[in-house]
């Protein structure tokens, strides 16, 4: 393996990207929980192609870096000064205990809410997943394996307004129709979830900030 660094210009400014040549078939871009960005490329792909790939995805990179760094900052702040309250479905509630207790509360909340959300979303989209799982995920809100028709949902969604859970469920279901994030995919998501843009904007913000800015009635 060989590693080099490229730079992509975004709305956030210059973002360095660690590029590693590996025995892979495709270019694989990843934004890590700490906000760093890496790109794996096949051995013979020229760096110019890698740079073009990054430039065309500059908006995506900026959005995910902003979200990851915001999460990292929020996690560091909470670790330094634990709060007496935590965000739950867009509102602040008394903290159930330490970080592990909060994680378990979030997992239970999403697991409880998910069946009804899935039932409605599957009926709306017209497809059915073979299996659903709730997991603690640090770099994404959900994931789908179209070949197996299995979907995983982040337990951390319990910190956000309930509409965000619905949006992520629909987003992942649409991958059973269109696996890639192309124009058709986004058109389908917007069709089945008209609030998708608003939900994506919410998911880029720290959940506590959203809870502080919302009236109690707004979180229902």
């Amino acid at each position: 393996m060989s590693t080099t660094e490229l730079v992509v210009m975004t709305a956030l400014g210059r973002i360095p990207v660690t590029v590693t040549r590996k025995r892979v078939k495709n270019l694989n871009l990843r934004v890590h929980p700490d906000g760093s960005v890496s790109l794996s490329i096949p051995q013979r792909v020229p760096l110019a192609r890698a740079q073009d790939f990054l430039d065309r995805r500059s908006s995506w990179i900026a959005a995910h870096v902003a979200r990851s760094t915001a999460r990292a900052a929020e996690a560091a702040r909470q670790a330094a000064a634990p709060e007496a309250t935590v965000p739950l479905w867009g509102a602040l509630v008394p903290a159930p205990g330490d970080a592990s207790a909060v994680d378990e509360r979030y997992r239970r909340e999403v697991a409880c809410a998910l069946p009804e959300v899935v039932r409605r979303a599957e009926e709306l989209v017209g497809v059915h997943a073979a299996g659903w799982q709730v997991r603690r995920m640090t770099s994404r809100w959900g994931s789908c394996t179209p070949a197996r028709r299995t979907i995983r949902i982040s337990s951390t969604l319990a910190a956000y307004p309930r509409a965000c859970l619905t949006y992520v469920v629909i987003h992942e279901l649409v991958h059973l129709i269109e696996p890639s994030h192309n124009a058709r995919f986004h058109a389908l998501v917007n069709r089945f979830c008209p609030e998708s843009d608003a939900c994506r904007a919410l998911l880029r913000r720290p959940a506590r900030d959203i809870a502080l800015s919302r009236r109690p009635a707004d979180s229902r």
Side-chain angles (χ1 to χ4, degrees):
M1 291 191 303
S2 62
T3 300
T4 188
E5 184 177 282
L6 296 177
V7 173
V8 59
M9 296 301 300
T10 74
L12 299 178
R14 294 164 57 89
I15 295 180
V17 180
T18 300
V19 180
T20 304
R21 295 187 183 277
K22 294 183 178 180
R23 292 181 179 178
V24 294
K25 294 182 179 180
N26 301 306
L27 284 74
N28 301 311
L29 178 63
R30 185 180 179 189
V31 176
H32 300 274
D34 63 356
S36 62
V37 185
S38 64
L39 176 67
S40 299
I41 63 174
Q43 296 284 356
R44 297 185 178 181
V45 167
L47 289 179
R49 180 182 168 191
Q51 183 68 63
D52 178 66
F53 177 87
L54 293 172
D55 291 341
R56 287 186 285 109
R57 287 159 177 79
S58 61
S59 296
W60 184 93
I61 292 170
H64 282 70
V65 167
R67 187 172 75 183
S68 294
T69 53
R71 286 181 182 173
E74 175 68 6
R77 188 183 68 79
Q78 291 187 8
E83 300 284 352
T85 59
V86 294
L88 179 67
W89 300 126
L92 293 179
V93 300
D98 60 14
S100 62
V102 173
D103 288 342
E104 177 58 21
R105 174 70 181 276
Y106 285 168
R107 187 197 65 78
R108 292 199 312 268
E109 290 281 342
V110 172
C112 182
L114 193 59
E116 179 61 17
V117 173
V118 166
R119 184 190 68 77
R120 294 180 180 179
E122 288 185 335
E123 181 178 334
L124 178 66
V125 179
V127 294
H128 297 269
W132 295 82
Q133 292 181 336
V134 177
R135 293 183 179 178
R136 184 176 184 275
M137 305 169 77
T138 58
S139 61
R140 56 181 65 184
W141 297 113
S143 64
C144 175
T145 306
R148 297 181 180 178
R149 302 184 71 82
T150 55
I151 293 175
R152 292 151 298 281
I153 298 295
S154 171
S155 58
T156 311
L157 282 165
Y160 287 81
R162 291 179 185 271
C164 293
L165 174 60
T166 297
Y167 158 70
V168 172
V169 166
I170 290 175
H171 179 110
E172 301 306 331
L173 276 174
V174 171
H175 275 309
L176 298 180
I177 303 173
E178 176 53 65
S180 64
H181 287 98
N182 58 20
R184 177 177 181 241
F185 170 85
H186 290 294
L188 287 170
V189 171
N190 291 337
R191 172 186 169 189
F192 295 125
C193 183
E195 296 179 311
S196 59
D197 288 344
C199 289
R200 280 194 295 268
L202 287 173
L203 291 172
R204 295 188 189 106
R205 298 172 56 192
R208 178 172 293 276
D209 290 353
I210 296 170
L212 289 171
S213 66
R214 293 163 64 89
R215 300 188 304 272
D218 292 336
S219 62
R220 296 175 185 173

